[in-house]
Amino acid sequence: MKRSTWWHLLLLISSLVLILFPLVQPFSNTLIEVVAEEDLVSLEYRMLDLVNAARAQAGLAPLSCDARLVQMARDYSWEMITYNFFSHISPVSGGLQQRIAAHGITGWLLAGENIAKAPNVDVAFNALMASPTHRANILRREFNSAGMGILRGPEGLVITQEFMQFAQVAPPPPRPVTPTFDTYILLMNPNETSVRVNVVFQKEDGSQHNYYYDVGAHCRMTISARSVLGEGSFSTRILSDIPILAERAMYFNAGGRSGGHDSIGATAPSARWYFAEGYTGGSFDTYICLQNPNQTAAAATLKFMRDDGVVIPLQVSIPAQSRYTVHVDEIGGLQEANFSTEVVSDLPLVAERAMYFNFGGKTGGSVSIGSEQPSASWYLAEGCVF
């Protein structure tokens, strides 16, 4: 959906503020407690962080995350998706005051609500802040607590923001540490004219996701894979009508490791790839990532060459137009091993090696595209020891 359409949707939303007065009975006393997916929980905290950053910039105290309001917000996002409506008045649970009563929330003095539909959290937040009534809820001085409820609907994210002023603020729930990976495709156009670029994400299930971008002359473009693709592992194919450059940057916080890595793309697939580095000892995890851009499945043989001279082969079949991942730590004979890797395929592939570690007080990861052939000479520009 075009961004202008999303903006139109967001401008249709309304905000609501209630001052406490005697409560009426809810339409239904039956509550369905919605449990958010792990990646959506991180988006809820992202939205709360954006709200509190805006409040800090305005000289206001931050809002405390209230578990009751989070559940109420999630339930209402679910209700709007399930019953296909978009309003502060529900045909199922009634108005805001009735929903507050149904959730058993007491001790509040002031309540407010924002709702939104958007492709991602940042687009939603920017649109809410651009609307005076929604901005007023976010920046209302009296509010001291909030709950964000975000679910995926058929047209993107459905977001409910609940705000309240309590006489006594409840302690916030512990913030979960959700494993995250974020990937960015970086395009450089060094040419004198703009260029049309086709970016194809090829997922492990074989599905293809095509996007087209216009990159201006002498310009760089950044594409957030999360914003356009959502969740999942994938490879990327980039096609341009004139020569450009492409890199991929990744940032992660998972498995007790956090950091980032980056790689230039391969300009063409190859039937052979070589990797000198590989280690599975201790907390090291090594992955060989294979991309098959062909119309048919590819048969590949991976030869893992240990430092004691033992060679351990592995044969894999990579489905057409998909990504395939080999976790080397799970292969017999390669636990706690130093090794190099040779990849030989009956069809041209693209191969990378990714490593993640927690070693010597350092956590992080690294990635490298493979070499298509050995060479009698090599040059490495970087190197440092302190």
Side-chain angles (χ1 to χ4, degrees):
M1 183 175 288
K2 294 182 180 178
R3 180 170 180 174
S4 60
T5 306
W6 279 115
W7 183 258
H8 179 64
L9 282 173
L10 287 166
L11 291 180
L12 288 176
I13 66 177
S14 59
S15 62
L16 185 64
V17 178
L18 290 178
I19 299 174
L20 178 62
F21 55 87
L23 296 175
V24 297
Q25 291 299 312
F27 282 21
S28 171
N29 290 319
T30 302
L31 292 181
I32 298 176
E33 292 199 356
V34 177
V35 179
E37 301 170 22
E38 281 191 358
D39 67 305
L40 296 177
V41 173
S42 67
L43 296 184
E44 292 170 348
Y45 276 106
R46 166 68 176 163
M47 178 62 83
L48 182 61
D49 289 343
L50 290 171
V51 166
N52 281 332
R55 290 178 65 87
Q57 191 172 14
L60 302 173
L63 301 177
S64 176
C65 180
D66 189 294
R68 298 167 296 176
L69 298 184
V70 171
Q71 192 62 61
M72 178 177 160
R74 288 175 183 167
D75 292 350
Y76 198 55
S77 291
W78 176 87
E79 198 170 297
M80 288 190 288
I81 294 169
T82 302
Y83 295 98
N84 192 29
F85 71 95
F86 188 71
S87 169
H88 293 286
I89 305 298
S90 165
V92 179
S93 60
L96 176 57
Q97 194 171 6
Q98 292 167 309
R99 294 195 296 278
I100 294 172
H103 282 79
I105 299 174
T106 60
W108 60 279
L109 306 173
L110 187 68
E113 180 178 82
N114 288 340
I115 55 176
K117 291 182 180 180
N120 60 61
V121 165
D122 292 72
V123 169
F125 178 77
N126 290 335
L128 290 168
M129 288 297 289
S131 167
T133 54
H134 300 92
R135 179 185 178 92
N137 268 346
I138 291 171
L139 300 182
R140 189 172 295 275
R141 184 178 298 275
E142 295 88 347
F143 288 148
N144 52 28
S145 302
M148 308 292 151
I150 300 178
L151 295 178
R152 296 192 193 281
E155 297 179 331
L157 299 180
V158 176
I159 301 166
T160 301
Q161 297 179 326
E162 303 290 1
F163 304 97
M164 280 194 186
Q165 178 191 11
F166 288 101
Q168 184 174 356
V169 178
R175 180 176 292 210
V177 179
T178 305
T180 57
F181 275 82
D182 280 292
T183 299
Y184 299 87
I185 304 300
L186 314 170
L187 306 177
M188 172 189 177
N189 178 14
N191 302 287
E192 299 293 332
T193 59
S194 63
V195 58
R196 183 75 163 169
V197 181
N198 176 208
V199 178
V200 184
F201 296 104
Q202 301 175 323
K203 302 188 78 171
E204 288 184 316
D205 62 5
S207 61
Q208 307 288 299
H209 302 265
N210 280 270
Y211 299 89
Y212 291 86
Y213 301 92
D214 292 310
V215 185
H218 301 139
C219 285
R220 166 216 167 121
M221 174 174 284
T222 303
I223 302 168
S224 167
R226 181 183 295 276
S227 295
V228 299
L229 194 63
E231 302 285 322
S233 300
F234 56 90
S235 294
T236 310
R237 183 175 185 175
I238 300 166
L239 303 173
S240 170
D241 50 10
I242 57 176
I244 60 170
L245 285 88
E247 292 186 42
R248 183 209 56 243
M250 296 181 65
Y251 303 93
F252 55 88
N253 184 357
R257 304 150 177 160
S258 61
H261 51 60
D262 180 276
S263 178
I264 195 76
T267 57
S270 173
R272 289 180 179 269
W273 294 98
Y274 298 89
F275 302 91
E277 165 68 319
Y279 184 56
T280 57
S283 65
F284 281 77
D285 281 280
T286 299
Y287 300 85
I288 303 298
C289 306
L290 304 172
Q291 177 186 12
N292 177 12
N294 302 287
Q295 299 292 328
T296 58
T301 299
L302 285 67
K303 294 182 179 179
F304 300 99
M305 306 174 187
R306 296 193 325 206
D307 54 5
D308 60 2
V310 173
V311 177
I312 298 176
L314 175 69
Q315 293 183 335
V316 297
S317 177
I318 306 106
Q321 297 182 321
S322 67
R323 172 225 169 111
Y324 189 93
T325 306
V326 177
H327 187 196
V328 183
D329 298 59
E330 298 177 359
I331 300 172
L334 289 171
Q335 298 89 349
E336 304 288 328
N338 290 295
F339 61 91
S340 296
T341 308
E342 177 188 41
V343 180
V344 180
S345 173
D346 63 346
L347 294 174
L349 305 174
V350 178
E352 296 184 43
R353 182 208 60 242
M355 298 179 66
Y356 299 94
F357 57 85
N358 187 340
F359 177 75
K362 307 179 183 73
T363 69
S366 65
V367 71
S368 177
I369 194 76
S371 174
E372 298 178 40
Q373 61 184 12
S375 174
S377 59
W378 290 94
Y379 300 88
L380 303 167
E382 165 68 321
C384 184
V385 178
F386 275 116

